Amino acid sequence: MNKHIVFFDAECPLCRTVKAVLKRLDWNNAIFWYPVQEVSDSIKERVNNYKNMYDEIYMYTKDKRVLTGFNTVRKILSLLPATMPLAFLLYLPFVKNIGDPVYRFISTRRYEWFGRVPYNKE
């Protein structure tokens, strides 16, 4: 596959909305979005030894690197022509020191703020 694969929580309304917006901005069709709910148990078990897939967004890049959380957000934004200027700012050296905690703050509270919806395979 010559696309980046992004694993997202399809039971999270915030995640689903962000995915829908970013998918519309993916004019080059560079990203394949894959619900965490459809990842096989054996893959989840291996990945969860590193970090829980439900805790952060994951990306498997075309060059076979695994990115999580804020690093995934920066990479996604750098791939989309409309968000490249924002991505440039997020790659400035000091921004990661702010971006990581902000991402974790939002990620750990997303169900509390936005609830949870059932995932129905489309």
Side-chain angles (χ1 to χ4, degrees):
M1 177 173 267
N2 63 348
K3 291 184 181 189
H4 302 277
I5 304 170
V6 174
F7 299 93
F8 73 102
D9 183 356
E11 293 177 347
C12 167
L14 174 63
C15 306
R16 288 166 60 154
T17 301
V18 169
K19 174 211 155 207
V21 170
L22 294 176
K23 197 169 181 174
R24 286 184 175 200
L25 295 174
D26 187 7
W27 305 326
N28 298 325
N29 202 22
I31 301 170
F32 178 76
W33 295 87
Y34 198 84
V36 171
Q37 287 74 13
E38 292 186 27
V39 174
S40 72
D41 288 338
S42 63
I43 298 288
K44 279 185 198 170
E45 188 175 310
R46 282 192 311 205
V47 171
N48 287 348
N49 288 329
Y50 176 63
K51 284 185 182 175
N52 188 327
M53 290 188 87
Y54 285 92
D55 290 345
E56 295 186 56
I57 190 170
Y58 266 71
M59 175 185 255
Y60 186 67
T61 66
K62 289 193 300 189
D63 58 354
K64 298 180 181 9
R65 292 182 303 131
V66 175
L67 303 175
T68 62
F70 182 67
N71 291 324
T72 299
V73 172
R74 290 191 312 183
K75 181 67 175 178
I76 290 170
L77 295 177
S78 73
L79 295 170
L80 308 176
T83 59
M84 278 184 189
L86 176 59
F88 173 77
L89 295 175
L90 295 180
Y91 276 98
L92 293 173
F94 64 88
V95 176
K96 185 164 173 45
N97 296 336
I98 299 165
D100 278 333
V102 169
Y103 178 89
R104 280 192 303 276
F105 180 83
I106 294 168
S107 180
T108 58
R109 290 162 179 81
R110 61 195 161 105
Y111 294 132
E112 181 183 327
W113 294 343
F114 303 101
R116 198 173 201 150
V117 295
Y119 170 66
N120 299 317
K121 189 175 180 177
E122 298 169 0

